[in-house]
Amino acid sequence: WLNLSQSELIEVMTSLRGRSLLERQEANFSLQPMIWRHTVEQIIKEVAQEIVNFLKSPDIDSLKTLKTYPWQIDGEEENRLLSLMKRYFSTKAKGLGKALPDLLKTLEENYESQSGYAIDNLKALVNLLELS
């Protein structure tokens, strides 16, 4: 979470809207599609790097993004996230995608209480890639 005061948050959001990076829809805000996609692609690359680091040296703390944020929330944005995850791990990181079931097993057996959302996120990805 960002440690911003309400006035700082309003200032940041106003700045983003002023640069056409943020859209307002009634009481909700969202990123412009191109900005959203770029942001998600960066998150996916970060997750992939975390997985590579964990496979080299199993340390649950190296899975920071993977264990901190849930991916399986209902909604269009999350479905797009999982769709992009599936595309990345079945094309650009195909070899890494094949390692996911073993990584999932390692987490379940050795790090279940420390894994946060990592196990659920990996289960969703493994199911999506039909590797189970």
Side-chain angles (χ1 to χ4, degrees):
W1 291 97
L2 296 174
N3 191 14
L4 298 175
S5 68
Q6 187 174 8
S7 62
E8 290 171 322
L9 179 60
I10 290 170
E11 184 179 323
V12 168
M13 292 182 75
T14 301
S15 174
L16 290 171
R17 276 191 75 200
R19 291 181 277 157
S20 299
L21 300 175
L22 193 66
E23 294 179 338
R24 184 170 186 177
Q25 301 164 346
E26 296 178 24
N28 298 317
F29 291 91
S30 65
L31 293 172
Q32 290 284 347
M34 186 172 77
I35 303 303
W36 184 90
R37 185 169 180 134
H38 174 75
T39 303
V40 168
E41 287 173 354
Q42 294 307 308
I43 291 169
I44 291 169
K45 288 176 185 176
E46 186 174 313
V47 166
Q49 187 59 53
E50 289 178 3
I51 291 169
V52 167
N53 293 342
F54 184 87
L55 292 172
K56 287 180 182 176
S57 176
D59 175 10
I60 192 68
D61 293 329
S62 67
L63 300 177
K64 185 176 181 178
T65 305
L66 190 62
K67 70 181 199 172
T68 304
Y69 304 102
W71 299 344
Q72 322 66 288
I73 302 171
D74 294 332
E76 181 182 333
E77 304 303 319
E78 290 74 17
N79 291 336
R80 291 192 311 176
L81 169 64
L82 286 173
S83 175
L84 291 171
M85 284 278 192
K86 178 181 180 179
R87 184 180 318 153
Y88 184 84
F89 282 96
S90 61
T91 57
K92 295 180 182 178
K94 195 171 191 172
L96 190 55
K98 291 179 180 179
L100 295 179
D102 291 334
L103 172 60
L104 177 59
K105 184 177 178 182
T106 299
L107 289 178
E108 289 174 326
E109 291 175 355
N110 302 310
Y111 301 98
E112 188 170 7
S113 65
Q114 305 161 312
S115 67
Y117 293 106
I119 290 174
D120 291 336
N121 288 338
L122 283 174
K123 281 181 183 176
L125 189 54
V126 165
N127 289 337
L128 213 65
L129 294 170
E130 300 173 358
L131 296 169
S132 52

